[in-house]
Amino acid sequence: MTNMRFAILGTAKIARTVAPKIHSAAGAELLGIASRNKESAQQFAQEFSVPRTYGSYAAALDDPDVDAVYLPLPPSLHREWTEKAAAAGKHVLCEKPLARNVDEADQMIAVCQEHNVVLMDGVMWYHTARAAGIKKIVDSGQLGELRQLTSVFTFRWDTMPMENLRMHRDMGGGSLLDLGWYCVGVTLWLLGEMPQQVYARANWCNDVDVRLNGFLWFGDEESGQRTVATIESGFDAVRRRWVEVVGARESLVCDDFTRPWKPDRPRFWTHDGDGDSTEHCIPHQPQEECMIEAFCDLIRRGQTDHPWLRLSRKTQFVCDALDRSARSGNVVDLENVHPHKEQE
């Protein structure tokens, strides 16, 4: 199996987590690191044993030996550098959120498909064996008819750091796109459908949501059997990252779905109505490696239109609707927003 050769565009904190896992992932090779500051690229290369450095992002795209790029850039730069990478024939692993809004996401998807390159967002946990185990139980009907899905992702800043990109709307900031992206994504993935309506309220600072609570309604209102999902994201509460799926017979709880608290024990529980529970522990390799190997597999299969990309687009679409609701104070009917895009 020939290795997929990666270059990383930027030396952001998350790049320091992903870089060693590109080295260790099967079928992948970290060839180069690009930075607008040549010294920064050289320091990164020395620390992570990267053979090539580039003094600009464009220089990495010009390297004919690079097959794919990883973009740990601010969301405001995702569209620009995804489009430039695609035009250069490079596959793109792009940090989440995919874009600042669904219009930008659609442009990115269109350009990548025009140039026949794979685009995938950087949500890692989807690609683990534990995630597959959770999905299998939900899809099996073991929980019974689904009634409620609740997901939460928060962490705490004592003081909002105004210099941080998350505090600037024009850079793609806010807790919804930073943390709620995971909550919306797990909701859509596990329920396997789009909501009919959403509603959200938020606390604001510098025109970004620093805390957001959202409701999503699924199914036919007239039947009286609608499934409800709630999400919570925020920069002002203790670190939490859990999801609960509630059925008529059982519930499933994972208290660390985005990243295991204990990497050697990725786990979740199922509970019945009598207080009995079952712990499910499904070990897997580091989730960064799982993501990179899944991305490389898509490249080898030439699968530019794949389920993870469709999920990313739907996640972006629902995040747009939640943001619109939080800003307007109104329920947003998704059937009246780009209806032709989401009838897949």
Side-chain angles (χ1 to χ4, degrees):
M1 178 172 62
T2 302
N3 284 346
M4 292 297 165
R5 297 163 297 181
F6 282 76
I8 300 177
L9 305 192
T11 57
K13 182 179 179 181
I14 186 63
R16 308 178 73 82
T17 300
V18 173
K21 297 302 187 277
I22 297 176
H23 278 309
S24 58
E29 173 185 346
L30 181 52
L31 181 65
I33 176 67
S35 175
R36 291 171 292 186
N37 181 318
K38 183 70 171 178
E39 182 180 349
S40 177
Q42 290 172 341
Q43 291 175 348
F44 189 101
Q46 183 175 6
E47 181 175 355
F48 294 102
S49 302
V50 184
R52 300 185 190 181
T53 61
Y54 312 97
S56 69
Y57 302 153
L61 301 184
D62 289 338
D63 186 341
D65 294 333
V66 171
D67 301 306
V69 293
Y70 169 57
L71 303 185
L73 302 172
S76 54
L77 297 178
H78 287 182
R79 180 178 63 84
E80 175 187 356
W81 288 101
T82 293
E83 291 180 352
K84 288 179 177 179
K90 314 301 185 187
H91 304 282
V92 181
L93 178 59
C94 181
E95 256 312 315
K96 58 81 206 163
L98 189 62
R100 291 179 294 185
N101 54 62
V102 77
D103 290 334
E104 288 188 352
D106 284 341
Q107 294 173 52
M108 293 163 64
I109 292 168
V111 170
C112 286
Q113 293 187 350
E114 175 188 353
H115 291 282
N116 198 35
V117 299
V118 172
L119 172 64
M120 191 177 88
D121 88 21
V123 174
M124 302 172 188
W125 82 274
Y126 289 143
H127 308 288
T128 65
R130 178 175 69 164
I134 291 172
K135 178 69 168 167
K136 183 178 180 180
I137 287 178
V138 172
D139 288 350
S140 73
Q142 175 180 329
L143 306 182
E145 190 170 357
L146 299 182
R147 301 289 191 234
Q148 173 90 26
L149 191 151
T150 303
S151 57
V152 172
F153 198 177
T154 63
F155 66 78
R156 181 185 174 187
W157 278 323
D158 291 329
T159 302
M160 297 298 163
M162 301 310 296
E163 74 284 357
N164 192 290
L165 70 88
R166 295 176 179 90
M167 296 303 298
H168 296 273
R169 181 169 175 81
D170 62 344
M171 296 186 73
S175 74
L176 174 62
L177 287 181
D178 187 46
L179 306 174
W181 181 270
Y182 293 91
C183 299
V184 172
V186 68
T187 300
L188 302 183
W189 186 52
L190 292 181
L191 296 184
E193 60 179 309
M194 289 289 284
Q196 277 67 55
Q197 295 176 309
V198 303
Y199 177 69
R201 295 297 297 269
N203 296 343
W204 305 96
C205 178
N206 199 39
D207 199 35
V208 301
D209 62 281
V210 294
R211 162 165 291 279
L212 184 138
N213 294 86
F215 284 82
L216 298 81
W217 290 275
F218 297 80
D220 181 11
E221 184 174 11
E222 295 182 359
S223 71
Q225 295 295 325
R226 302 186 86 182
T227 302
V228 178
T230 62
I231 71 164
E232 176 193 349
S233 60
F235 300 144
D236 60 355
V238 66
R239 187 176 297 275
R240 300 138 69 222
R241 47 182 189 243
W242 58 267
V243 61
E244 180 186 28
V245 188
V246 179
R249 293 194 300 270
E250 295 185 14
S251 66
L252 181 152
V253 175
C254 182
D255 69 346
D256 56 2
F257 77 100
T258 67
R259 180 179 294 275
W261 294 116
K262 298 179 179 179
D264 59 333
R265 284 189 59 79
R267 59 187 182 172
F268 63 94
W269 293 264
T270 48
H271 303 270
D272 67 14
D274 297 315
D276 292 325
S277 64
T278 301
E279 182 183 65
H280 306 259
C281 184
I282 306 180
H284 55 71
Q285 68 199 97
Q287 60 183 23
E288 296 88 351
E289 292 180 7
C290 297
M291 173 187 68
I292 293 158
E293 291 175 10
F295 177 61
C296 291
D297 184 59
L298 290 171
I299 295 171
R300 292 189 180 90
R301 291 189 284 117
Q303 197 169 352
T304 59
D305 181 15
H306 55 87
W308 300 119
L309 183 57
R310 292 194 290 273
L311 177 58
S312 297
R313 200 271 173 190
K314 291 176 181 179
T315 301
Q316 194 90 58
F317 178 83
V318 173
C319 285
D320 276 13
L322 287 163
D323 178 72
R324 187 177 301 112
S325 176
R327 290 176 181 278
S328 69
N330 298 321
V331 172
V332 172
D333 185 342
L334 270 69
E335 293 181 353
N336 294 328
V337 185
H338 300 322
H340 62 287
K341 292 284 189 179
E342 292 302 341
Q343 293 178 354
E344 297 175 358

